[in-house]
């Protein structure tokens, strides 16, 4: 198709869209085509005929031709611009090379200039150093010349020049101070014929100058002129280090003068009344010390401002002042308090020591806030005088003045060292605790000593009999012959009967254990431990706590619990076996349980944690504590075993009172009138008492195993007891009543293992009630069916009709005749007890732990059998 239209024939709108500017910005092909064909589309829509593509084709061909021309135009312009850019780049590169050459030349010039400047500077520095050296040498020479001149003048007794300088004011006095210090040094080194006399003249003039300056300082101090005081202090500092000025200031201070005049202790009656009482809380303050410390705080607050304004070395002056406060005022008051406390008791002394330590610690913390800036000495002479001043004030830093806080801590430590060093404090603390415990347990100890003394040997019983015989008299007032003989024997043997009469009588309640007493002992011990931590070094806390633990264990473990256990054991051993045993030992065991629980809770909570940082000491404390508790546990186990043995023995004694014909009565009416036999009633009464007392004093596993031991032992005793008595048909009813009573009382123990044992006893008793024809089937049922018939035969033989029906029973059971089974019958009976162990899951070998299950965690004690 030929292109009929030419670019020049395009309309103005198309010419505008085909310009170069259209393609320089953001260009979109779709929008470009749409804008070109927009007018044609509109014309095509207005026409009524079919679509005519020719206008579109012609327009697009013309546009393409125009675009080709534009592209050629753009290419030409781009080539021209590229040529111009290449030319510009060449020119730019040439210019940059020229500039680099110029910069390198300038840099080289500056380097040479810097080198020349450094050379000149080094030369100037050397010249400056030489000039300074020359200047110093000139000054030294001038000073030497002046010193020689002054020395010659003083050797001739001429002081006019020094006097003139001294009267010139502050600058003159400070210059005189420096000259005199140097003259004094030179005079000590010169060795000439008249040197000694010159030295004396210089020293006299120095003393005169120092006195004059001190008097001036004192006058200014009294007038309240801090500027002149500062001038005097500075002058004396340059003269001799200022030590004399500081001493005058401290010695003449009103605080020390007033305390010396009014050094009378304030009477605090309430304090001295409660100090020796261990049941009261330790006091935290003392009136006299509180007043003294309040005055110290007020004085230091005022003096800190004065010292800072007056002295060129305020830190040193404040240290000297406070050291004097500690060494004089505080120590003197502290010694008075401790002396008075020591005259009262060890506890009063220790409480006073703790009180003073607490108050002094608070004072030190308050005084640390007055830390003053430290000024280093400007000359070696001043440094020497500073060291001398601090050494005379008991400073612990000989080389440099210590900070105020460090000095306060050291002063406080030195204040208490005489009372806490070594083992002095710990020994007194242990002695105090021992005295308190001895006083608290005095009646308790005396009671148990007398009780244990009463359980004496044959010789003691003989002495008691002689004493009783010697004390008997006739109705007419004269001694009998036997009394006279007994008295003579006692005189020959040196036996004194009046000793016990002079002692104070003891009461029964004095020997009882009390949880309140144990709590009081632990409270006193806790106070001692707290005091020990307050007064001792942290590194000694574990060791000291261990020492105090030993004191507590000796008192509460041996003197208290051990004495009660020993007395209870002796009473059981000395008790008459023909009388009913006392169950008071169970109440002793209950008290021991509670006290041990309280004691071990205190040890594990309060004492052991104090040694956590010291593994070895902590391990030793734990081992010692466990050993102590184990000893108490063993003694308690032995005591409870003795109680068990005495109860079982008494039950056996009661059963031994069973009459031969109790179960084979002759008068049936009289037999039916009785409910139970007398031994049965007595045994049931004893078992009831044991049950009630055990429930009151034991608990948990202890109670269960103790009652189990009683029940098992009584069961074995009953088995042996039933083999001794023939039983008739009527007596079988009485026996059944007795066995039912035993079963009922044992059932109240609440232990299922015992229920099976005594059910077996009841069924065994019924063998005397059943008819002979059903006896065979009866012994094969229930608990009896689990027992070998051979073991039951000793009981069956006790039936009154055994002679008539025994042979028939033996034949049916395949048993031997009575005459052929006598051998080993008693041994076979022993097998019955062994077979009874298979009737329940109870292990008779199980022991009774000391501590109830509820207490085991608190006591941290292993369970051991009694």
């Amino acid at each position: 198709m030929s292109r009929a239209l030419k670019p020049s024939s395009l309309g103005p709108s198309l010419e505008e869209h085909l310009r170069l500017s259209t393609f320089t910005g953001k260009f979109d092909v779709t929008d470009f085509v749409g804008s070109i064909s927009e007018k044609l589309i509109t014309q095509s829509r207005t026409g009524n005929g079919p679509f005519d593509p020719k206008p579109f084709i012609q327009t697009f061909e013309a546009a393409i031709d125009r675009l080709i021309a534009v592209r050629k135009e753009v290419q030409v312009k781009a080539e021209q611009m590229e040529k111009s850019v290449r030319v510009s780049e060449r020119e730019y590169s040439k210019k940059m090379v020229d500039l680099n050459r110029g910069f390198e030349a300038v840099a080289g010039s500056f380097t040479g200039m810097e080198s020349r400047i450094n050379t000149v500077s080094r030369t100037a520095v050397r010249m400056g150093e030489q000039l300074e050296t020359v200047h110093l040498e000139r000054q030294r020479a001038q000073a030497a010349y002046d010193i020689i001149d002054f020395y010659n003048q003083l050797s001739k007794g001429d002081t006019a020049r020094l006097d003139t300088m001294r009267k010139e004011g502050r600058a003159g006095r400070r210059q005189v101070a420096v000259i005199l210090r140097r003259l004094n040094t030179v005079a000590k080194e010169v060795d000439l014929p008249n040197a000694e006399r010159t030295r004396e003249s210089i020293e006299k003039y120095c003393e005169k100058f120092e006195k004059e300056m001190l008097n001036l300082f004192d006058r200014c101090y009294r007038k309240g002129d801090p500027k002149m005081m500062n001038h005097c202090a500075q002058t004396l500092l340059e003269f001799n280090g200022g030590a004399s000025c500081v001493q005058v200031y401290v010695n003449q201070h009103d605080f020390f003068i007033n305390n010396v005049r009014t050094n009378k202790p304030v009477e605090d009656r309430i304090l001295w009344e409660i100090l020796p009482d261990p049941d009261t809380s330790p006091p935290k303050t003392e009136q006299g010390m509180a007043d003294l410390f309040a005055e110290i705080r007020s004085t230091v607050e005022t003096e800190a401002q004065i010292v800072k304004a007056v002295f060129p070395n305020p830190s040193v002056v404040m240290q000297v002042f406070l050291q004097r406060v500690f060494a004089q005022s505080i120590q003197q008051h502290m010694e008075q308090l401790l002396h008075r406390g020591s005259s009262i008791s060890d506890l009063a002394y220790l409480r006073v020591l703790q009180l003073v330590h607490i108050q002094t610690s608070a004072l030190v913390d308050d005084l640390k806030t007055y830390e003053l800036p430290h000024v280093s000495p400007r000359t070696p002479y001043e440094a020497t005088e500073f060291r001398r001043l601090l050494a005379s004030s008991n400073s612990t830093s000989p080389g440099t003045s210590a900070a105020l806080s460090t000095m306060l801590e050291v002063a406080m430590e030195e204040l208490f060292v005489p009372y806490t060093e070594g083992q002095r404090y710990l020994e007194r603390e242990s002695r105090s605790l021992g005295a308190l415990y001895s006083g608290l347990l005095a009646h308790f100890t005396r009671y148990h000593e007398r009780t244990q003394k009463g359980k004496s040997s044959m010789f003691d019983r003989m002495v008691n009999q002689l004493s009783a015989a010697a004390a008997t008299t006739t109705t007419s007032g004269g001694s009998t012959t036997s009394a006279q003989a007994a008295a003579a024997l006692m005189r020959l043997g040196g036996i004194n009967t009046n000793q016990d009469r002079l002692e104070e009588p003891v009461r029964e309640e004095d020997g009882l254990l009390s949880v309140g007493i144990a709590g009081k002992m632990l409270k006193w011990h806790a106070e001692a431990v707290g005091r020990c931590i307050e007064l001792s070094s942290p590194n000694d806390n574990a060791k000291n706590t261990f020492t105090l633990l030993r004191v507590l264990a000796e008192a509460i473990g041996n003197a208290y619990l051990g004495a009660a256990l020993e007395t209870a054991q002796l009473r059981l051993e000395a008790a008459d076996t023909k009388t009913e045993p006392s169950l008071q030992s169970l109440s002793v065991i209950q008290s021991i349980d509670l006290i041990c629980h309280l004691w071990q809770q205190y040890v594990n909570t309060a004492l052991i944690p104090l040694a956590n940082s010291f593994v070895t000491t902590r391990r030793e404390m734990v081992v010692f504590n466990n050993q102590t508790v184990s000893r108490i546990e063993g003694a308690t186990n032995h005591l409870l075993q003795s109680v068990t043995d005495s109860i079982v023995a008494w039950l056996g004694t009661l059963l031994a009172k069973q009459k031969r014909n109790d179960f084979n009565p002759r008068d049936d009416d009289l037999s039916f009138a009785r409910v139970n036999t007398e031994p049965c009633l007595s045994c049931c009464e004893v078992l009831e008492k044991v049950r009630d007392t055990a429930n009151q004093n034991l608990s948990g596993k202890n109670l269960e195993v103790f009652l189990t031991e009683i029940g098992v032992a009584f069961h074995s005793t009953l088995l042996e007891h039933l083999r001794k008595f023939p039983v008739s048909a009527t007596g079988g009813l009485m026996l059944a009543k007795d066995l039912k009573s035993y079963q009922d009382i044992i059932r109240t123990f609440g232990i299922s293992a015992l229920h099976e044992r005594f059910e077996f006893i009841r069924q065994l008793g019924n063998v005397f009630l059943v008819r002979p024809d059903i006896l065979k089937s009866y012994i094969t049922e229930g608990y009896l069916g689990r027992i070998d018939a051979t073991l039951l035969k000793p009981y069956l033989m006790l039936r009154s009709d055994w002679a008539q029906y025994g042979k028939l029973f033996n034949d049916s059971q395949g048993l031997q005749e009575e005459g052929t089974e006598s051998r080993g019958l008693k041994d076979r009976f022993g097998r019955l007890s062994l077979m009874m162990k298979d009737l329940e899951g109870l292990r008779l070998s199980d022991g009774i732990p000391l501590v109830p299950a509820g207490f085991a965690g608190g006591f941290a004690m292993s369970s051991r059998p009694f």
Side-chain angles (χ1 to χ4, degrees):
M1 181 181 295
S2 61
R3 299 177 180 177
L5 294 177
K6 295 181 179 180
S8 61
S9 63
L10 295 174
S13 60
L14 291 177
E15 286 290 343
E16 183 178 357
H17 287 95
L18 295 174
R19 291 177 181 177
L20 182 60
S21 60
T22 304
F23 304 98
T24 57
K26 184 179 181 181
F27 178 75
D28 185 14
V29 177
T30 303
D31 294 341
F32 175 74
V33 174
S35 63
I36 294 176
S37 60
E38 181 179 3
K39 185 176 180 180
L40 296 175
I41 293 172
T42 303
Q43 293 176 356
S44 177
R45 288 178 179 177
T46 56
N48 295 327
F51 174 72
D52 186 9
K54 291 181 178 181
F56 290 91
I57 295 172
Q58 293 174 356
T59 301
F60 285 126
E61 287 179 349
I64 291 172
D65 293 338
R66 179 63 178 165
L67 290 174
I68 292 173
V70 172
R71 184 176 63 181
K72 291 179 179 180
E73 183 181 353
V74 170
Q75 288 178 351
V76 171
K77 290 183 179 180
E79 291 175 356
Q80 293 176 354
M81 293 179 68
E82 288 177 356
K83 291 179 180 179
S84 63
V85 167
R86 285 194 293 270
V87 172
S88 298
E89 287 180 349
R90 286 194 296 270
E91 292 178 355
Y92 176 77
S93 299
K94 183 178 180 180
K95 188 179 293 184
M96 289 301 299
V97 170
D98 295 339
L99 289 174
N100 287 334
R101 292 174 181 173
F103 279 119
E104 289 176 357
V106 172
S109 300
F110 275 108
T111 302
M113 185 180 298
E114 183 180 6
S115 176
R116 288 193 296 271
I117 290 174
N118 290 335
T119 303
V120 173
S121 298
R122 287 193 292 269
T123 304
V125 169
R126 287 196 299 270
M127 293 175 62
E129 292 176 351
Q130 292 173 0
L131 289 174
E132 184 178 1
T133 303
V134 171
H135 178 68
L136 290 176
E137 291 178 353
R138 181 180 179 281
Q139 283 186 336
R140 190 177 296 108
Q142 183 63 40
Y145 174 79
D146 292 339
I147 291 299
I148 294 172
D149 187 24
F150 282 114
Y151 183 85
N152 291 331
Q153 292 178 9
L154 288 173
S155 65
K156 300 176 183 179
D158 183 9
T159 62
R161 187 178 174 185
L162 288 174
D163 294 339
T164 302
M165 293 176 61
R166 185 161 47 86
K167 295 176 181 179
E168 290 178 356
R170 299 182 181 181
R173 283 191 289 268
R174 294 184 65 176
Q175 188 176 0
V176 170
V178 175
I179 292 172
L180 289 177
R181 187 189 71 222
R182 294 175 178 175
L183 282 173
N184 199 14
T185 304
V186 170
K188 296 177 181 179
E189 301 295 333
V190 174
D191 186 12
L192 295 175
N194 297 326
E196 185 66 28
R197 186 179 64 182
T198 305
R199 188 182 303 114
E200 292 177 358
S201 300
I202 294 174
E203 290 177 354
K204 289 180 180 179
Y205 197 86
C206 288
E207 292 177 2
K208 176 182 176 181
F209 179 76
E210 183 178 12
K211 289 180 181 179
E212 180 181 345
M213 294 305 301
L214 291 176
N215 291 333
L216 180 60
F217 179 85
D218 186 56
R219 289 196 303 269
C220 296
Y221 173 68
R222 298 184 185 279
K223 292 179 181 180
D225 187 355
K227 293 184 179 180
M228 283 302 297
M229 292 173 64
N230 177 263
H231 164 66
C232 296
Q234 185 67 42
T235 302
L236 288 171
L237 177 66
E238 295 178 354
F239 174 66
N240 60 2
S244 57
C245 181
V246 175
Q247 293 296 339
V248 169
Y249 176 76
V250 174
N251 294 337
Q252 298 298 326
H253 201 283
D254 294 338
F255 175 79
F256 301 107
I257 297 175
N258 294 337
N259 282 340
V260 172
R261 293 175 182 174
T262 61
N263 192 15
K264 296 181 179 179
V266 180
E267 183 66 24
D268 194 345
R269 295 184 178 179
I270 298 178
L271 171 72
W272 297 108
E273 288 177 359
I274 65 175
L275 270 178
D277 185 4
D279 294 328
T280 60
S281 299
K284 300 299 181 182
T285 182
E286 189 266 336
Q287 186 62 39
M289 177 160 286
D291 295 342
L292 175 62
F293 284 3
E295 185 179 0
I296 291 174
R297 289 184 176 93
S298 174
T299 302
V300 172
E301 182 179 5
T302 304
E303 293 305 314
Q305 302 299 325
I306 298 175
V307 168
K308 187 176 181 180
V310 170
F311 291 95
N313 49 348
S315 178
V316 176
V317 178
M318 184 57 69
Q319 290 181 48
V320 174
F321 181 80
L322 290 176
Q323 285 171 349
R324 178 73 175 274
V325 169
F326 274 84
Q328 179 175 320
S329 303
I330 298 178
Q331 184 173 359
Q332 185 176 0
H333 191 81
M334 175 181 174
E335 289 175 353
Q336 292 176 355
L337 294 178
L338 290 175
H339 178 72
R340 183 170 181 179
S342 179
S343 63
I344 297 175
S345 66
D346 286 335
L347 178 62
Y349 172 88
L350 294 170
R351 283 184 167 183
V352 169
L353 189 63
Q354 181 186 19
L355 180 150
V356 175
H357 193 276
I358 293 174
Q359 294 296 314
T360 307
S361 299
L363 176 66
V364 167
D365 292 338
D366 293 341
L367 295 180
K368 286 180 180 179
T369 59
Y370 299 104
E371 186 78 44
L372 297 178
H374 172 68
V375 179
S376 300
R378 294 177 297 178
T379 65
Y381 183 76
E382 292 178 6
T384 303
E385 292 299 321
F386 279 0
R387 290 194 292 269
R388 185 179 63 83
L389 176 63
L390 292 175
S392 64
S393 302
N394 298 324
S395 174
T396 59
S397 179
T400 59
S401 58
L404 181 63
S405 58
T406 305
M407 185 280 301
L408 290 171
E409 292 175 357
V410 172
M412 179 176 172
E413 181 180 354
E414 293 177 349
L415 193 66
F416 288 91
V417 162
Y419 309 100
T420 59
E421 64 179 350
Q423 297 296 318
R424 182 177 304 176
Y425 161 72
L426 193 60
E427 289 175 357
R428 194 148 195 169
E429 192 73 71
S430 301
R431 185 169 66 248
S432 173
L433 268 181
L436 290 176
Y437 290 156
S438 298
L440 181 64
L441 303 179
H443 296 289
F444 178 86
T445 304
R446 184 168 62 251
Y447 172 86
H448 286 280
E449 285 179 351
R450 292 192 182 181
T451 303
Q452 295 172 14
K453 184 179 180 181
K455 313 303 179 183
S456 53
S457 62
M458 182 183 300
F459 175 76
D460 295 325
R461 290 195 296 271
M462 181 189 70
V463 170
N464 294 335
Q465 294 174 359
L466 289 175
S467 300
T472 57
T473 58
T474 60
T475 56
S476 60
S479 301
T480 62
T481 305
S482 60
Q484 293 175 356
L489 285 174
M490 294 185 68
R491 283 195 303 272
L492 291 174
I495 301 174
N496 185 10
T497 61
N498 297 324
Q499 181 178 358
D500 293 339
R501 299 179 185 178
L502 298 177
E503 296 182 0
E504 181 182 353
V506 295
R507 301 171 299 174
E508 187 66 26
E509 54 269 22
D510 292 340
L512 300 179
L513 292 174
S514 171
V515 177
I517 294 295
K520 187 177 294 187
M521 296 172 71
L522 296 179
K523 177 184 176 183
W524 296 351
H525 190 271
E527 178 186 336
V529 172
R531 186 164 48 242
C532 185
I533 294 174
E534 172 75 25
L535 297 175
S536 301
S537 170
N539 294 330
D540 296 333
N541 284 341
K543 179 181 63 176
N544 295 344
T545 302
F546 190 15
T547 302
L548 295 181
L549 175 61
R550 292 178 183 274
V551 177
L552 177 64
E554 177 64 27
I556 201 172
N558 295 340
Y560 198 50
L561 301 182
L565 284 169
E566 186 176 356
T567 299
Q569 186 66 40
L570 289 174
R571 283 181 171 176
L572 282 178
E573 294 174 355
D576 189 357
T577 57
K578 298 181 180 180
T579 60
E580 182 178 351
S582 173
L583 300 179
Q584 185 180 1
S585 298
L586 294 180
S587 63
V588 174
I589 294 174
Q590 181 193 29
S591 299
I592 292 175
D593 276 344
L594 297 176
I595 292 173
C596 280
H597 173 65
L598 183 63
W599 173 22
Q600 292 307 298
Q601 285 283 37
Y602 167 72
V603 170
N604 294 326
T605 304
L607 301 186
I608 299 298
L610 295 176
N612 285 342
S613 301
F614 302 88
V615 179
T616 303
T617 305
R618 186 182 187 279
R619 181 170 59 250
E620 292 176 355
M621 290 176 65
V622 172
V623 171
F624 171 78
N625 184 66
N626 291 341
Q627 290 176 349
T628 303
V629 176
S630 296
R631 287 195 298 269
I632 298 174
E633 181 182 348
T636 309
N637 291 339
H638 183 58
L639 174 62
L640 194 54
Q641 185 61 54
S642 299
V643 173
T644 304
D645 295 341
S646 63
I647 293 173
V648 173
W650 178 245
L651 290 173
T653 302
L654 294 178
L655 289 176
K657 297 179 180 180
Q658 193 87 53
K659 297 180 180 179
R660 181 70 178 173
N661 295 324
D662 277 348
F663 305 126
N664 189 15
R666 299 178 181 177
D667 188 351
D668 293 343
D669 294 336
L670 181 60
S671 299
F672 282 111
R674 295 184 299 172
V675 178
N676 296 100
T677 61
E678 293 182 0
C680 175
L681 295 175
S682 300
C683 289
C684 289
E685 182 180 357
V686 170
L687 291 173
E688 186 176 0
K689 289 181 181 179
V690 171
R691 178 202 63 198
D692 295 341
T693 306
N695 285 327
Q696 292 174 2
N697 297 286
L698 301 177
S699 60
K701 193 67 175 178
N702 282 349
L703 175 63
E704 177 184 350
V705 181
F706 173 71
L707 293 179
T708 300
E709 183 72 16
I710 297 294
V712 170
F714 184 57
H715 172 267
S716 301
T717 304
L718 280 179
L719 286 177
E720 178 67 22
H721 179 71
L722 293 179
R723 296 178 63 252
K724 300 177 181 179
F725 302 95
V727 183
S728 64
T730 305
L733 294 175
M734 183 61 65
L735 176 60
K737 294 178 183 179
D738 285 357
L739 296 180
K740 186 62 169 63
S741 298
Y742 295 143
Q743 185 181 17
D744 292 341
I745 192 65
I746 292 297
R747 185 177 290 112
T748 61
F749 285 8
I751 300 174
S752 58
L754 295 179
H755 298 169
E756 298 180 352
R757 284 181 174 269
F758 282 84
E759 176 62 22
F760 169 78
I761 288 285
R762 187 189 65 80
Q763 293 181 12
L764 182 62
N766 289 340
V767 300
F768 302 104
L769 297 177
V770 300
R771 298 193 307 273
D773 54 341
I774 65 175
L775 181 61
K776 173 184 175 182
S777 62
Y778 179 74
I779 64 174
T780 59
E781 299 173 354
Y783 289 104
L784 298 180
R786 306 179 188 179
I787 305 300
D788 187 0
T790 306
L791 301 177
L792 295 177
K793 184 176 180 181
Y795 300 95
L796 300 178
M797 293 173 58
L798 297 175
R799 288 174 59 103
S800 58
D801 57 356
W802 180 256
Q804 180 179 358
Y805 298 99
K807 181 173 175 37
L808 178 62
F809 183 81
N810 290 337
D811 295 340
S812 63
Q813 294 293 329
L815 299 178
Q816 297 178 355
E817 293 294 334
E818 181 179 353
T820 62
E821 67 172 355
S822 58
R823 178 185 176 185
L825 186 59
K826 189 172 183 179
D827 295 337
R828 287 200 303 272
F829 169 74
R831 294 172 53 197
L832 178 60
S833 298
L834 297 177
M835 295 183 67
M836 284 300 300
K837 295 180 182 179
D838 298 332
L839 297 181
E840 72 279 328
L842 179 67
R843 294 177 56 198
L844 298 182
S845 60
D846 286 347
I848 305 177
L850 168 61
V851 184
F855 290 164
F859 277 91
M861 292 161 47
S862 59
S863 298
R864 293 182 174 87
F866 282 118

